[in-house]
Amino acid sequence: PVFVRAGSIVPMWPNMRYAGEKPVDPLTLEVFPDGKSEFELYEDDGTTRAFETGAFAKTLIECHAPHNVMKRAGRVEVKVGASVGSFEGQLVNRTYIVLLHVATAPQEVILKTSYGETTLRNLGSKSALDWEESGWFFDRTYSWRPPFTFYTFNEKPGRFGAG
């Protein structure tokens, strides 16, 4: 099992045999919403020391959600900011896939960009999404989570107990 703290945002590259084999596109964001959390994605060319002279980019990724939204329903908002900075080989455009780990299907999914708002269609399955440019689906197997309610964290570092 992999344990992830509630509120975490975990970026995932496409499968590669080695770094740089192909562009990091799409970038999948595994989001475990709980309260307000943020993650700053750092990127550089991955091969030179040009980052030392400022050749890198950062992208702020934020999530706003009620506490315990992974157990209950609630509004979840994920924001991907504009990339700040530049480096040789930087992608001009990028596709983001957002995997929200929530207990229930959303009523609607709205994509907000600098061009305006779009309500995305529920496509019903991952295979349908693979054939479309945009959309969403809900599948309990993608949002499965261990029953965290059965565990408690002690105040002392390194101690974990059943509750």
Side-chain angles (χ1 to χ4, degrees):
V2 175
F3 294 99
V4 179
R5 183 181 300 271
S8 295
I9 301 170
V10 182
M12 305 289 286
W13 282 15
N15 289 333
M16 294 185 212
R17 291 177 294 188
Y18 56 89
E21 176 187 12
K22 56 187 172 184
V24 181
D25 189 49
L27 183 69
T28 300
L29 302 173
E30 294 256 3
V31 181
F32 300 83
D34 189 68
K36 181 184 183 310
S37 57
E38 62 182 42
F39 173 79
E40 190 170 54
L41 177 68
Y42 170 90
E43 298 177 282
D44 60 31
D45 67 13
T47 56
T48 70
R49 299 186 71 79
F51 65 90
E52 293 175 336
T53 58
F56 60 86
K58 293 181 180 181
T59 305
L60 182 63
I61 302 165
E62 300 174 273
C63 181
H64 301 272
H67 289 289
N68 294 322
V69 75
M70 289 193 298
K71 297 178 196 172
R72 299 183 191 96
R75 179 184 172 88
V76 178
E77 186 174 331
V78 177
K79 294 181 183 179
V80 178
S83 185
V84 177
S86 63
F87 59 92
E88 185 71 31
Q90 183 177 9
L91 292 172
V92 176
N93 296 308
R94 168 173 282 149
T95 300
Y96 289 92
I97 297 172
V98 179
L99 295 179
L100 282 174
H101 293 266
V102 292
T104 60
Q107 293 176 355
E108 69 178 346
V109 175
I110 300 170
L111 175 65
K112 295 180 183 179
T113 67
S114 58
Y115 304 110
E117 283 188 13
T118 304
T119 299
L120 300 178
R121 287 187 316 126
N122 180 353
L123 301 173
S125 69
K126 182 178 184 322
S127 59
L129 181 61
D130 289 341
W131 291 95
E132 297 289 334
E133 188 172 305
S134 64
W136 67 275
F137 72 96
F138 180 79
D139 182 337
R140 291 200 188 287
T141 62
Y142 276 81
S143 65
W144 183 86
R145 60 181 170 70
F148 290 117
T149 54
F150 295 112
Y151 298 97
T152 59
F153 291 92
N154 294 327
E155 295 296 318
K156 297 178 184 175
R159 302 198 64 188
F160 180 78

